Amino acid sequence: MTYREWLIFKLLKRSILGLFLFISILSSSTYLPYIEKVEIKGNTKTLDYVIKREIKHETLNLLDSLIAEKDRERIENLGIFSEVTWKTIPLDSEMSKLVFSVVESVQNLPPSILPTYDEKTGWSINAGILFTNFKGRNQSLSFNLSLGGKDTYGLIFSDPWILGDHVSLRSEIDKSIYRHNFLDYNVEKDKVRIDFGKWFGENIKTLIGFSIISMKFKNESSSTILKSNYFSIKPVFKYDTRNIYWNPSKGILWSNIFNLNRGINKSRFVNYSWKQSLSLYHEVIKLEKKVIIAFNGTYNFFWGKKDEIWLNYLGDSFTVRGWPLISQNSYSSKSNEFRFGYELLYSSIELRKEIIPKKVTKYGTQLGLLGILFIDVGSISYNILNLNETPKMLGSGIGIRIPFPMIHTIRFDLGWGYRDGKWNKGTLHWGFSHKF
């Protein structure tokens, strides 16, 4: 039976209503193909099932372009493809097939030596191996060794579907040695961590992580050694309706990260933290090159034992931009006391404009560019009751975002800080991923 014969048979079985629908379809100028099957093209490394498990469009049904587009977005959000498109192709049976075409991005980093940068520890030379699509199963495996601002070695493995539908596992073993960015200590940290995750539907994402951490803080001038050994539990709850992770044009992300630290052995202490963040994204002008407004509000509360080693601060690429990076000199200066504390509250608004929409060049590489205007504001306090009374820090500036394989996004932000009626000289921040 052809598609036309099948459709006539189904509609006429419904008597008068079927006849009405049949006439309506015949008189409509919109053609909706009947999907007989779904195919995938372009994946040379990624196994078919990794892509097919993200596709919700039913076969033996009329095309629903909204479902097909959401399927495309889910496949792109896997983070292993530079480009994902879909189309329908007519078949001899008068039905059609729905075809998803993918272009695989660079997924493996062979043994190599590269410079890396971290705002807290500075420059390091990094040697390692990275697989972001291990064995074509969307697993991630990396071994890392670095020397310089941060000496470290570690092994990380993750699988987003290890036990079925979005039941994930991530494990990490890591040792690092570095100079604390504002306390007069050399830090030695050993960590073993395992995370279990589960999605409930498309939007509710949960995770619980367990870590055993051993830290030593050494002051060379006074021969002081502080030790902190503790067990950490980190539950995470997220409600996520973003369409595209690398540059969302609609949706929200509500994130709650809880952290319980309990000392073990001779380190007897308990403290808790709760970081809540809400991000909103909206496309304000629907053009070929998108214009998006994005808002974020974040607070971080801290209870329990408050030692100096748990101090936090404002004024970096993930809080309030445009401020000089924290250092030991700035911590010891009374003029910077307003930048330190345990309780944080900050927010940002960004206007994001596509300058070059993300695409794949004829050489198989990614190309894209976003321009950013931003304003940040925040405050920090040693006590939650005084948080609203502390002076606000502001930062404003411009930035760019560049899509990049494996790390998703490289960003540069040039900002100027404002407080007490004065602007500072400005600071360039750069790193990976969006601020929010």
Side-chain angles (χ1 to χ4, degrees), residues 3 6 31-37 59-63 91 94-97:
Y3 163 63
W6 176 89
Y31 169 69
L32 292 177
Y34 184 79
I35 302 303
E36 181 181 295
K37 59 182 178 178
T59 56
L60 303 180
N61 213 332
L62 293 175
L63 172 70
L91 300 173
E94 296 188 18
M95 300 185 189
S96 298
K97 61 181 179 180

Side-chain angles (χ1 to χ4, degrees), residues 70 95 177 265 273 282 293 304 327 356 369 373-374 421 424 433:
K70 286 186 177 294
M95 300 185 189
I177 302 172
N265 297 332
S273 66
H282 179 67
I293 190 167
S327 65
I356 303 175
L369 182 65
L373 298 175
F374 67 85
N424 64 24
S433 77

Side-chain angles (χ1 to χ4, degrees), residues 309-320:
I309 61 174
W310 300 101
L311 266 178
N312 216 326
Y313 60 91
L314 277 183
D316 61 11
S317 60
F318 284 98
T319 55
V320 179

Side-chain angles (χ1 to χ4, degrees), residues 8-23:
I8 293 173
F9 173 74
K10 287 288 186 182
L11 292 177
L12 290 181
K13 280 183 65 178
R14 302 177 183 270
S15 185
I16 298 175
L17 178 60
L19 182 61
F20 172 76
L21 292 173
F22 178 60
I23 294 172

Side-chain angles (χ1 to χ4, degrees), residues 107-284:
Q107 299 175 354
N108 300 329
L109 181 65
S112 56
I113 300 176
L114 298 170
T116 58
Y117 177 77
D118 182 278
E119 284 190 337
K120 292 184 177 181
T121 58
W123 288 95
S124 301
I125 298 297
N126 194 304
I129 303 174
L130 172 63
F131 302 95
T132 58
N133 189 15
F134 189 56
K135 294 185 177 181
R137 293 181 169 88
N138 196 27
Q139 299 170 339
S140 176
L141 177 65
S142 66
F143 175 76
N144 179 61
L145 172 67
S146 69
L147 297 172
K150 188 175 185 179
D151 300 340
T152 183
Y153 61 86
L155 180 68
I156 301 174
F157 172 79
S158 67
D159 186 337
W161 279 64
I162 194 165
L163 291 176
D165 189 359
H166 289 101
V167 178
S168 63
L169 170 70
R170 183 183 184 276
S171 58
E172 176 183 0
I173 301 175
D174 178 83
K175 183 180 182 66
S176 54
I177 302 172
Y178 56 91
R179 182 70 175 169
H180 199 283
N181 59 331
F182 62 86
L183 298 178
D184 190 17
Y185 291 113
N186 292 320
V187 182
E188 183 176 328
K189 182 177 180 180
D190 296 277
K191 178 174 66 175
V192 177
R193 175 174 174 174
I194 186 167
D195 298 340
F196 301 96
K198 176 73 174 80
W199 288 19
F200 297 90
E202 292 292 321
N203 307 126
I204 297 176
K205 305 174 181 180
T206 64
L207 178 144
I208 185 165
F210 303 92
S211 303
I212 297 177
I213 300 170
S214 175
M215 299 187 71
K216 295 179 181 179
F217 297 83
K218 301 179 181 179
N219 185 302
E220 295 179 350
S221 60
S222 65
S223 300
T224 301
I225 299 179
L226 302 178
K227 296 182 180 181
S228 181
N229 303 314
Y230 59 96
F231 176 67
S232 179
I233 302 177
K234 180 177 287 187
V236 178
F237 174 87
K238 295 181 180 181
Y239 179 75
D240 187 358
T241 66
R242 294 172 298 166
N243 55 345
I244 296 296
Y245 296 164
W246 107 266
N247 182 33
S249 60
K250 62 181 180 180
I252 69 173
L253 174 60
W254 180 43
S255 173
N256 292 268
I257 302 174
F258 305 90
N259 205 349
L260 165 63
N261 300 314
R262 178 179 289 272
I264 54 179
N265 297 332
K266 296 181 180 180
S267 303
R268 297 297 181 183
F269 71 90
V270 176
N271 57 39
Y272 314 83
S273 66
W274 174 26
K275 181 178 181 180
Q276 183 171 191
S277 173
L278 176 64
S279 301
L280 310 173
Y281 308 90
H282 179 67
E283 187 176 356
V284 292

